[in-house]
Amino acid sequence: MTKKIRTALISVYHKDNLEPVIRQLHTLGVKLITTGGTQQFIEKLGIPVTTVDSITDYPHILGGRVKTLHPKIFGGILRRDENESDRKEVEQFQIPAIDLVVVDLYPFENTVAAGGSHAEVIEKIDIGGISLIRAAAKNYNDVLIISSRDQYAFLLDILEKKKGESTIEDRKLMATHAFNTTSHYDTAIFNYFNKDENVPAFKQSVLEARSLRYGENPHQQGIFYGKFDELFEQLHGKEISYNNLLDIDAAVSLMAEFNEATCAILKHNNACGVASRDSLINAWKDALAGDPVSAFGGIIIVNRNVDKAVAEEMNKLFFEVLIAPSVSPDALEVLKQKKNRIILLQKKTALPAKQFRSLLNGVVEQDRDSKTESAADMKTVSEIAPDAKQLSDMEFANKLVKHTKSNTIVLAKNKQLLASGTGQTSRVDALQQAIAKAGHFNFELKGAVMASDAFFPFPDCVEIADKAGIAAVIHPGGSVKDQESIDYCNKHRMAMVITGIRHFKH
């Protein structure tokens, strides 16, 4: 069922790219109803308009808060052309039938993001605009709604190629877009008012979406909802996959812990190599040494500029993604030798304070784990206190254990990851896995430190660590048998500190 556009209501905040639409409507002889700034914009083009107040015979009031909220406007949008009773009332009350509504909304989110005052934010809560959009979308059977300047191209296509006639499919599609616009807008307003979470409700809305090659596996569909380009600029490489995104997220969260020159290599969301050094090239070499086997096909992240010397070393390894704050032009040419290699420049953008995931038939939400313990947060519970070097290594190891799948044990020395046991059902298994891995790559564990994401329920882990050469231990503490682990450390001249903070990661 096609509908000819004869009368259009146009009232927009943003005038970008509006002129071609106005001129084409005028060419087709469409009557234009408008108000406020849009009226002035159209009149400057030399095109006649009919004002809203000339139809309603009522002025704008309350400083412009009330302009279009009137039965003659909403009646013209909500009338049903095939309903005899509606037709009679439209004629009786001299209500103009409106076939096209072009309306956008006040920039509420932009005002909040720009740090506007509460009063400024409140004034950007659109009332008339959102009501017009909902009314036109509800009556898509008879009205075409354009709710964003992003849809002007779609409208121009109808005006130019279809001579102003829309199909029911056109109108329903735009109604769907309209309800997407209004629901997103209301979600943003609700979350602004509910910053203190006094109302227990979960509401998130993301308009940006990018289809992925597939989900976690090829038989699963995958879509990323979010503003990826706010965080990264992709300089090179293939389309980013679902699994790439999981690794990138893990890598960015881990690297946020470090200030000195650091390189981390991740595989399946866990670090397999990390080192902090006086230069990036040394950090790269020592991170790779941590596990050169797992590094194959991994994700690399650094927090310093990648120069040509570093790029040439990295280029010897096959890897999926490189994340860096900057890459020098000659280094980029080296790295681009692999056409599918993804190279991302990380922008300085804060990560969300909340995390959530689907679970069962709902969603769980939590605060991001933003707690990072420094030496000042470590309480020595053993008779022997750790020295400065051990404290530094324990701080380093504790950052890694925070970002490794539980149950986990991390072994480190000289600010280098020697090995980790990841995702084990037993903490003993995690430790034995880490020791075996360190041995496989010929690391000397004598003098190394051990970090655990949770307490030791028994002293068996410190005993195993001691026999492997581990000199100092950091863990949250909190077990009813903590003292047994402490006693073992005292008996065998090991240093132990507790932090009081658990870092489970599932």
Side-chain angles (χ1 to χ4, degrees):
M1 179 176 63
T2 61
K3 285 281 184 178
K4 180 76 173 178
I5 298 172
R6 295 181 172 84
T7 302
L9 172 64
I10 306 174
S11 180
V12 295
Y13 184 91
H14 302 97
K15 311 300 188 297
D16 317 45
N17 303 317
L18 180 62
E19 182 177 344
V21 172
I22 298 300
R23 292 197 181 281
Q24 189 61 31
L25 286 168
H26 180 61
T27 298
L28 293 173
V30 176
K31 178 182 178 180
L32 305 180
I33 301 173
T34 187
T35 183
T38 308
Q39 174 189 340
Q40 297 171 17
F41 177 86
I42 297 175
E43 288 177 338
K44 285 181 179 179
L45 299 178
I47 294 174
V49 298
T50 300
T51 63
V52 167
D53 52 12
S54 70
I55 294 173
T56 63
D57 197 27
Y58 208 92
H60 302 169
I61 62 173
L62 305 180
R65 280 189 165 196
V66 180
K67 290 180 281 192
T68 57
L69 296 169
H70 193 280
K72 280 198 171 183
I73 299 300
F74 279 85
I77 296 171
L78 288 166
R79 96 284 166 199
R80 292 160 292 184
D81 290 340
E82 296 183 0
N83 185 293
E84 183 178 355
S85 176
D86 283 9
R87 291 199 304 270
K88 287 180 179 179
E89 289 186 354
V90 164
E91 183 178 355
Q92 177 185 355
F93 296 108
Q94 299 180 317
I95 296 173
I98 297 172
D99 314 295
L100 168 67
V101 174
V102 182
V103 176
D104 63 8
L105 300 172
Y106 292 159
F108 177 84
E109 287 182 281
N110 289 346
T111 305
V112 173
S117 67
H118 182 66
E120 290 171 328
V121 169
I122 294 301
E123 287 307 309
K124 289 299 185 289
I125 297 177
D126 207 310
I127 302 300
I130 202 164
S131 301
L132 291 167
I133 291 172
R134 288 178 62 84
K138 176 178 179 176
N139 197 30
Y140 72 88
N141 199 58
D142 295 303
V143 180
L144 175 65
I145 173 64
I146 300 297
S147 56
S148 167
R149 53 188 164 173
D150 297 334
Q151 298 160 11
Y152 288 171
F154 181 89
L155 175 57
L156 276 171
D157 189 69
I158 289 176
L159 299 177
E160 294 171 351
K161 296 181 180 179
K162 301 180 181 180
K163 305 302 181 184
E165 291 192 2
S166 65
T167 65
I168 187 67
E169 291 79 15
D170 293 332
R171 297 192 297 278
K172 187 173 182 180
L173 174 62
M174 289 298 101
T176 305
H177 280 295
F179 286 123
N180 185 31
T181 297
T182 59
S183 64
H184 177 81
Y185 196 76
D186 283 337
T187 295
I189 295 170
F190 170 79
N191 287 334
Y192 173 79
F193 275 85
N194 199 41
K195 285 182 289 189
D196 295 331
E197 300 183 18
N198 294 319
V199 178
F202 177 82
K203 295 184 187 294
Q204 293 289 329
S205 177
V206 182
L207 297 178
E208 296 75 16
R210 59 191 294 173
S211 295
L212 305 174
R213 296 199 305 272
Y214 48 80
E216 201 160 7
N217 299 290
H219 63 277
Q220 296 170 271
Q221 182 184 4
I223 301 174
F224 174 72
Y225 295 98
K227 299 178 180 180
F228 187 81
D229 293 340
E230 283 190 357
L231 295 177
F232 304 100
E233 177 186 354
Q234 184 167 351
L235 300 181
H236 182 69
K238 62 185 177 181
E239 182 183 344
I240 293 171
S241 71
Y242 181 98
N243 291 326
N244 289 156
L245 286 170
L246 293 179
D247 283 328
I248 290 167
D249 177 69
V252 168
S253 296
L254 171 60
M255 190 54 66
E257 303 283 354
F258 297 94
N259 294 317
E260 57 192 309
T262 301
C263 174
I265 308 170
L266 290 87
K267 198 77 170 285
H268 296 293
N269 312 156
N270 292 305
C272 59
V274 185
S276 295
R277 293 292 181 262
D278 57 352
S279 67
L280 185 58
I281 194 162
N282 288 332
W284 158 253
K285 289 177 180 179
D286 287 343
L288 180 60
D291 186 347
V293 175
S294 295
F296 183 86
I299 304 288
I300 301 169
I301 185 167
V302 298
N303 60 359
R304 294 291 190 275
N305 175 65
V306 176
D307 60 21
K308 185 178 181 181
V310 173
E312 288 175 337
E313 290 297 319
M314 289 180 172
N315 200 43
K316 297 174 183 177
L317 174 75
F318 169 74
F319 60 90
E320 287 270 335
V321 182
L322 170 64
I323 308 167
S326 60
V327 180
S328 63
D330 52 356
L332 184 59
E333 290 307 308
V334 173
L335 295 168
K336 287 169 69 174
Q337 292 175 15
K338 302 293 185 182
K339 67 176 183 178
N340 289 329
R341 179 180 287 159
I342 297 167
I343 303 173
L344 300 175
L345 289 190
Q346 185 179 357
K347 302 176 184 179
K348 292 184 178 180
T349 307
L351 295 172
K354 295 287 187 179
Q355 296 175 311
F356 53 88
R357 66 168 75 175
S358 60
L359 190 152
L360 298 176
N361 63 344
V363 175
V364 288
E365 180 186 77
Q366 66 172 357
D367 298 331
R368 180 177 292 275
D369 185 357
S370 58
K371 178 65 176 173
T372 301
E373 297 78 56
S374 66
D377 300 307
M378 300 176 192
K379 178 183 177 182
T380 301
V381 292
S382 56
E383 293 173 354
I384 294 180
D387 59 30
K389 179 179 173 299
Q390 289 172 335
L391 284 172
S392 176
D393 279 343
M394 286 195 286
E395 186 173 342
F396 175 88
N398 202 47
K399 291 175 180 178
L400 302 188
V401 90
K402 170 182 171 181
H403 294 277
T404 306
K405 297 290 185 181
S406 298
N407 287 314
T408 182
I409 293 289
V410 166
L411 306 180
K413 185 165 66 172
N414 299 326
K415 295 185 180 179
Q416 179 186 21
L417 172 62
L418 304 184
S420 60
T422 63
Q424 299 301 304
T425 53
S426 159
R427 199 159 302 281
V428 170
D429 287 347
L431 174 56
Q432 290 175 333
Q433 180 190 53
I435 292 171
K437 193 171 184 180
H440 180 74
F441 292 111
N442 300 314
F443 282 112
E444 173 56 66
L445 291 179
K446 185 177 181 180
V449 304
M450 173 175 71
S452 174
D453 59 337
F455 63 64
F456 299 111
F458 304 99
D460 46 6
C461 279
V462 289
E463 180 179 354
I464 295 169
D466 171 45
K467 292 177 179 178
I470 303 296
V473 180
I474 178 172
H475 70 118
S479 167
V480 294
K481 295 188 177 182
D482 272 353
Q483 192 58 48
E484 292 184 19
S485 294
I486 296 170
D487 290 342
Y488 184 93
C489 287
N490 289 336
K491 184 177 180 180
H492 295 84
R493 310 296 291 170
M494 296 176 72
M496 175 179 280
V497 302
I498 60 173
T499 64
I501 302 294
R502 189 183 73 185
H503 289 297
F504 271 166
K505 188 171 187 287
H506 297 105

